């Protein structure tokens, strides 16, 4: 869109900060997701979008109005939305006779569509239907993928990568162990993908590591894969490329050996050995045995047995 | 003793039984993302059945996998955040699963005209202290800004008339005008650098010429070249300005090498070969030593400046200068060695 391509020069500090937040960076921001309703979205699909929004808060935007677009035919409106709201993940819900309860999950690279996968919702249990206590908003979920299909099939592999990207949440350096409350479990069996969310209860076990009990909570979906629009291999590789600055800097003078021992290297200047302070070195002091040997060969002291 | 050890082991095993999970294939963990991937094929036949049984099976599978993941997470190095009573916090490693980026990585901005010049000449940044000694006030004051070291320049009550200036001229007005000009020139250069960086970043294609007022040298040159070549004979017979080059501008921009035809100009070839023989046989060195030495020194300085660009300028002063001296004299002898090398080779082939 022309309006968004024009370079805007900021006139206030606030505008400048806003633009700086959106420009490409070495360490990127957490990806935002936009949840869009299609032209004819029914109740199920709307509920799904609302639930996923609740899971992904605050890194998601839910568009309440219906948008009459077809992502698989025309991607410009999606790209426009993504540029406007700076979201690189999207979830588009629609419903028609040919594809009932349709969800299109996708991600963007540089505000252009990278991957899009269409999933059909066969069964949906919402957050409201399961009456128990929920975990707090914004908890980083644990993600578990079960099923060998996720590695064998190329489309399923991309779907796995997409789901991880979608539900990952912010990258944190450390995590509170008692706060691991939410787990999303994806099982791929028989051409269907079962997504279940559980609340984790940590029970006492004999040792330090607690025993896990799960309580069903939150949205559970039975999905079936329909169409896909995956990026070409080289575009995908280009998007995976990380800049050089992110590589961990090698610390000089530190080396590790096979057994895990860390060796350090210290570079000393040349020491004048004649000026060394030997009076303060306990190791050089004459031990009583040596003293007596010097004096005249008395019996050495008995050493204690272990 | 062995009986005691065996009993202790059994007790441990009992305790651990509640948290151990048996799996055919080990899971793959990415603890940075709190991710676990289970490659074991799930029991397809059992899961095909209807509702509650399937849910129970899925739940059991999830419980096992979660138990394994949580055990791994609990084994990470943990500490108590915020003192003794705080929550137990584990240090997560870096995420290993490669996910595509949101936007392409940022391109470094191109160097400004001054930065290019400084790199060429080997000029390095002098680190200035933030405070300077003020003789008038006899204290350390900031280098610029409110209450600066040299006193407020706007309140200067004396302006000397310089040697060759007009005695009637208003010196204060001159100073003010010059400052304004300096500021304006600085601002213009800054905007030009910005525009250059922006153009380099977005790779603007050969756009049509701006209306007068916004044309810059490179644009004019480019457009003039395109206009010259856009004739039926591709610019070969166009009238030329007195200082323009004779040959038509090459489309590759001077990157490809041009070779003379093998059997063309006999006279030129003869004169070239005679000149070569003359130079080889003469006693005077062809190489101008001073020019070579200066070039080498400049190149060295530029390299040294580039190498030390990121590092702190810790080796300044005596140590820095001491390091540079042996380098200088070394290279001078190196430069002198070259003509000596050429001569025996020339003598060999000439003789």
């Amino acid at each position: 869109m022309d309006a968004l391509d024009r370079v805007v020069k900021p006139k206030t500090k606030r505008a400048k900060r806003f633009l700086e937040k959106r420009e490409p960076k070495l360490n990127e921001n957490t990806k935002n997701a936009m949840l869009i309703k299609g032209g004819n979205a029914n109740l199920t699909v709307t509920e799904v979008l609302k639930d996923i929004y609740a899971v992904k808060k605050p890194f998601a935007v839910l568009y309440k109005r219906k948008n009459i677009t077809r992502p698989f035919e025309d991607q410009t409106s999606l790209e426009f939305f993504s540029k406007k709201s700076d979201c690189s993940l999207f979830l588009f819900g629609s419903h028609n006779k040919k594809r009932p309860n349709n969800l299109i999950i996708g991600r963007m690279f540089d505000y252009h569509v990278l991957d899009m996968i269409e999933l059909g919702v066969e069964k949906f249990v919402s957050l409201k239907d399961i009456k128990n206590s929920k975990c707090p908003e914004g908890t980083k979920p644990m993600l578990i993928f079960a099923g060998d299909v996720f590695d064998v099939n190329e489309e399923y592999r991309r779907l796995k990568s997409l789901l991880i990207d979608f539900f990952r949440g912010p990258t944190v350096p450390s995590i509170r162990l008692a706060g691991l409350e939410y787990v999303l479990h994806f099982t791929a069996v028989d051409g269907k993908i079962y997504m279940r969310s559980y609340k984790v209860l940590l029970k006492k076990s004999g040792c330090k590591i607690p025993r896990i009990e799960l309580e069903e909570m939150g949205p559970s979906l039975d999905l079936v894969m329909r169409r896909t629009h995956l990026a070409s291999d080289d575009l995908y590789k280009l998007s995976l490329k990380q800049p050089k600055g992110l590589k961990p800097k090698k610390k000089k003078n530190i080396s590790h050996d096979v057994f895990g021992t860390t060796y350090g290297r210290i570079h000393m200047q040349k020491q004048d050995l004649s000026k060394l302070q030997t009076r303060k070195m306990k190791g050089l002091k004459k031990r009583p045995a040596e003293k007596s040997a010097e004096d005249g060969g008395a019996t050495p002291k008995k050493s204690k047995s272990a | 003793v062995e009986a005691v050890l065996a009993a202790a082991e059994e007790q441990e095993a009992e305790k651990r039984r509640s948290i151990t999970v048996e799996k055919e294939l080990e899971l793959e963990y990415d603890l940075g993302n709190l991710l676990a991937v289970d490659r074991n094929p799930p029991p397809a036949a059992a899961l095909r059945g209807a509702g509650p049984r399937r849910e129970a099976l899925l739940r059991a599978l999830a419980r096992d996998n979660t138990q394994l993941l949580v055990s791994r997470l609990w084994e990470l190095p943990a500490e108590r955040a915020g003192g003794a009573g705080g929550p137990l916090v584990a240090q997560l490693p870096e995420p290993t699963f490669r996910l595509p980026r949101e936007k392409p990585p940022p391109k470094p901005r191109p160097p400004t005209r001054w930065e290019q010049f400084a790199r060429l000449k080997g000029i390095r940044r002098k680190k200035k202290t933030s405070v300077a000694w003020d003789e008038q006030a006899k204290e350390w004051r900031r280098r610029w800004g409110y209450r600066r070291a040299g006193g407020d320049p706007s309140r200067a009550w004396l302006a000397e008339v310089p040697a060759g200036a007009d005695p009637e001229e208003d010196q204060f007005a001159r100073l003010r005008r010059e400052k304004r000009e300096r500021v304006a020139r600085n601002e213009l250069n800054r905007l030009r650098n910005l525009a250059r960086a922006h153009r380099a970043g977005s790779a603007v294609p050969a756009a049509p010429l701006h209306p007068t007022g916004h044309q810059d040298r490179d644009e004019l040159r480019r457009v003039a070249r395109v206009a010259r070549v856009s004739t039926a004979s591709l610019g070969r017979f166009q009238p030329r300005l007195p200082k323009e080059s004779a040959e038509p501008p090459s489309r590759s921009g001077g990157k490809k090498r041009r070779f003379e035809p093998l059997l063309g100009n006999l006279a030129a070839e003869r004169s070239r070969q005679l000149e070569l023989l003359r130079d080889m046989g003469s006693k005077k060195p062809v190489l101008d030593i001073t020019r070579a030495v200066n070039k080498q020194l400049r190149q060295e300085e530029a390299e040294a400046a580039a190498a030390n660009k990121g590092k702190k300028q810790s080796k300044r002063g005596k140590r820095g200068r001491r390091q540079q001296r042996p380098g200088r004299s070394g290279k001078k002898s190196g430069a002198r060695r070259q003509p000596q090398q050429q001569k025996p080779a020339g003598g060999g082939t000439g003789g």
Side-chain angles (χ1 to χ4, degrees):
Chain A
M1 279 249 138
D2 210 31
L4 285 173
D5 284 336
R6 211 180 298 143
V7 170
V8 181
K9 261 198 290 226
K11 292 199 177 72
T12 55
K13 275 270 164 64
R14 187 161 175 235
K16 190 169 169 206
R17 266 181 274 138
F18 177 82
L19 284 178
E20 273 180 7
K21 199 163 71 144
R22 294 195 171 192
E23 64 182 17
K25 290 182 217 160
L26 217 56
N27 287 319
E28 291 189 317
N29 309 333
T30 317
K31 289 193 184 182
N32 277 333
M34 49 186 184
L35 309 167
I36 315 173
K37 283 205 280 190
N40 43 4
N42 61 353
L43 190 63
T44 323
V45 157
T46 323
E47 291 287 307
V48 171
L49 289 175
K50 274 208 265 198
D51 279 356
I52 305 254
Y53 174 63
V55 168
K56 266 222 69 140
K57 269 204 250 191
F59 297 105
V61 257
L62 176 67
Y63 286 118
K64 289 199 178 147
R65 296 230 201 115
K66 293 190 177 179
N67 295 291
I68 308 176
T69 43
R70 295 202 176 87
F72 269 87
E73 276 93 44
D74 175 32
Q75 285 137 21
T76 45
S77 67
L78 274 179
E79 294 177 0
F80 171 74
F81 278 133
S82 138
K83 232 187 213 181
K84 197 102 200 283
S85 59
D86 192 31
C87 294
S88 49
L89 300 164
F90 66 88
L91 187 62
F92 181 89
S94 67
H95 172 84
N96 50 18
K97 207 152 153 205
K98 192 167 172 199
R99 292 176 231 276
N101 297 332
N102 210 16
L103 278 180
I104 303 179
I105 186 170
R107 63 183 154 199
M108 310 268 195
F109 177 67
D110 198 18
Y111 303 124
H112 295 293
V113 169
L114 184 65
D115 286 337
M116 266 197 302
I117 298 183
E118 193 174 51
L119 302 161
V121 178
E122 307 222 312
K123 193 174 82 114
F124 170 62
V125 182
S126 132
L127 275 167
K128 296 194 299 243
D129 295 340
I130 305 176
K131 303 208 184 335
N132 59 358
S133 60
K134 318 281 181 198
C135 55
E137 205 174 83
T139 330
K140 192 169 157 90
M142 290 189 276
L143 301 162
I144 305 183
F145 288 82
D148 46 348
V149 193
F150 276 124
D151 285 303
V152 167
N153 194 339
E154 174 64 35
E155 297 188 339
Y156 275 84
R157 228 181 303 159
R158 287 285 180 95
L159 178 64
K160 179 173 98 169
S161 157
L162 195 53
L163 288 168
I164 296 174
D165 220 352
F166 204 89
F167 289 109
R168 177 159 80 136
T171 311
V172 284
S174 53
I175 191 162
R176 196 172 131 249
L177 287 174
L180 292 167
E181 289 176 334
Y182 195 38
V183 63
L184 287 167
H185 191 264
F186 298 89
T187 321
V189 154
D190 260 357
K192 286 207 196 164
I193 303 161
Y194 300 104
M195 172 181 142
R196 299 281 179 272
S197 344
Y198 299 102
K199 186 172 154 126
V200 175
L201 305 162
L202 305 162
K203 296 273 163 67
K204 257 195 184 7
S205 79
C207 43
K208 244 187 352 164
I209 302 173
R211 185 178 159 78
I212 300 288
E213 290 297 338
L214 295 178
E215 198 186 328
E216 172 105 30
M217 162 254 227
S220 76
L221 298 162
D222 287 0
L223 304 162
V224 70
M225 182 132 67
R226 289 180 187 158
R227 294 183 287 180
T228 59
H229 178 279
L230 304 176
S232 61
D233 270 337
D234 34 341
L235 181 58
Y236 195 65
K237 271 205 196 124
L238 184 66
S239 68
L240 283 175
K241 220 175 181 187
Q242 303 288 349
K244 264 202 198 159
L246 278 181
K247 260 199 291 192
K249 284 212 179 116
K250 276 193 156 185
K251 279 193 117 178
K252 284 175 121 181
N253 297 323
I254 297 180
S255 61
H256 304 266
D257 77 343
V258 193
F259 301 107
T261 325
T262 315
Y263 292 102
R265 218 178 221 188
I266 308 175
H267 298 268
M268 298 276 296
Q269 290 174 335
K270 220 172 154 89
Q271 286 178 310
D272 191 3
L273 291 170
S274 59
K275 294 213 176 112
L276 266 183
Q277 175 71 276
T278 51
R279 289 181 104 219
K280 294 191 177 166
M281 294 187 185
K282 280 196 179 166
L284 299 174
K285 271 200 186 147
K286 287 197 182 142
R287 266 180 264 127
E290 286 180 355
K291 251 196 196 162
S292 53
E294 269 196 19
D295 286 342
T299 52
K301 274 199 165 161
K302 262 197 281 185
S303 58
K304 287 193 182 157
S305 60
Chain B
V1 172
E2 281 165 19
V4 171
L5 280 174
E9 263 190 52
E10 263 211 45
Q11 268 188 3
E12 277 279 334
E14 272 284 334
K15 280 192 204 166
R16 290 209 161 237
R17 211 165 291 161
S18 61
I19 59 164
T20 43
V21 173
E22 285 294 324
K23 282 274 181 184
E24 272 180 19
L25 268 175
E26 273 290 314
L27 304 199
E28 285 182 2
Y29 301 97
D30 176 8
L31 295 173
N33 277 326
L34 299 183
L35 173 71
V37 178
D38 181 11
R39 294 248 175 107
N40 300 305
L47 280 170
R48 225 170 281 153
R53 216 171 130 238
R54 183 162 67 192
E55 292 301 314
L57 253 167
L58 283 173
R59 193 163 158 169
L61 182 64
R63 196 220 80 80
D64 288 341
N65 286 333
T66 321
Q67 179 75 69
L68 287 167
L69 179 58
V70 169
S71 319
R72 273 301 177 96
L73 283 168
W74 233 264
E75 281 167 12
L76 283 175
E79 54 180 29
R80 291 226 160 251
L88 197 59
V89 168
Q91 302 285 341
L92 285 179
E94 292 275 331
T96 51
F97 193 83
R98 283 184 81 188
L99 288 165
R101 279 175 69 96
E102 198 177 26
K103 298 171 189 132
K107 283 182 268 255
R109 73 179 163 88
T112 61
R113 269 180 74 82
W114 166 253
E115 280 176 0
Q116 286 171 12
F117 178 74
R119 199 190 304 158
L120 182 68
K121 285 285 187 179
I123 301 171
R124 283 176 247 188
R125 292 205 64 182
K126 281 205 183 106
K127 243 209 161 141
K128 292 197 171 132
T129 54
S130 54
V131 285
W133 178 251
D134 188 2
E135 270 305 319
Q136 293 283 339
K138 295 272 192 295
E139 63 172 4
W140 288 97
R141 286 220 175 134
R142 63 189 79 187
R143 198 176 280 278
W144 49 267
Y146 181 61
R147 288 210 193 137
R148 68 186 73 169
D152 193 1
S154 61
R155 297 240 239 116
W157 48 269
L158 179 74
E160 282 187 20
V161 179
D166 177 18
E168 302 285 323
E169 196 189 357
D170 183 1
Q171 294 304 319
F172 294 110
R174 180 183 63 91
L175 287 171
R176 262 182 281 131
R177 190 187 61 230
E178 286 188 345
K179 178 159 175 94
R180 236 180 296 135
E181 284 171 3
R182 262 182 282 135
V183 167
R185 191 175 345 126
N186 209 354
E187 186 64 23
L188 178 69
N189 283 329
R190 185 182 74 90
L191 290 174
R192 272 211 218 131
N193 282 327
L194 266 182
R196 205 173 296 124
H198 184 76
R199 244 185 300 135
S202 60
V204 161
L209 198 59
H210 269 110
T212 40
H214 294 280
Q215 301 156 335
D216 60 340
R217 220 181 322 161
D218 304 312
E219 221 177 310
L220 283 171
R221 207 183 292 146
R222 206 189 316 139
V223 173
R225 186 172 74 181
V226 169
R228 170 127 154 243
V229 187
S230 320
T231 57
S233 46
L234 300 177
R236 286 187 71 188
F237 305 109
Q238 290 294 97
R240 240 165 276 117
L241 288 176
K243 287 202 180 161
E244 247 182 309
S245 58
E247 52 179 58
S250 56
R251 281 209 19 206
S252 54
K255 282 183 216 148
K256 286 220 171 117
R257 287 180 70 182
R258 303 208 109 190
F259 295 102
E260 299 281 334
L262 275 179
L263 299 171
N265 200 344
L266 278 179
E269 193 179 338
R270 184 197 157 88
S271 60
R272 213 180 327 125
Q273 297 281 17
L274 284 177
E275 243 188 69
L276 186 64
L277 283 173
R278 183 169 44 89
D279 285 337
M280 289 199 298
S282 76
K283 304 269 185 207
K284 253 193 349 186
V286 189
L287 183 71
D288 186 359
I289 296 180
T290 37
R291 276 191 74 182
V293 163
N294 287 338
K295 199 169 182 184
Q296 187 71 325
L297 290 175
R298 236 185 300 129
Q299 194 186 29
E300 244 197 18
E301 277 178 2
E303 281 175 8
N308 288 349
K309 207 167 61 152
K311 294 191 205 165
K312 285 194 188 165
Q313 305 294 332
S314 56
K315 288 205 172 165
R316 292 185 63 238
K318 268 203 214 162
R319 238 190 276 161
R321 267 181 270 136
R322 213 194 297 148
Q323 271 209 344
Q324 285 208 14
R325 286 277 160 69
R328 284 181 189 234
S329 52
K331 277 306 153 191
K332 208 164 180 171
S333 55
R336 203 171 279 138
R337 254 186 259 129
Q338 277 185 8
Q340 288 178 10
Q341 236 183 17
Q342 267 187 16
K343 269 194 70 183
T349 48

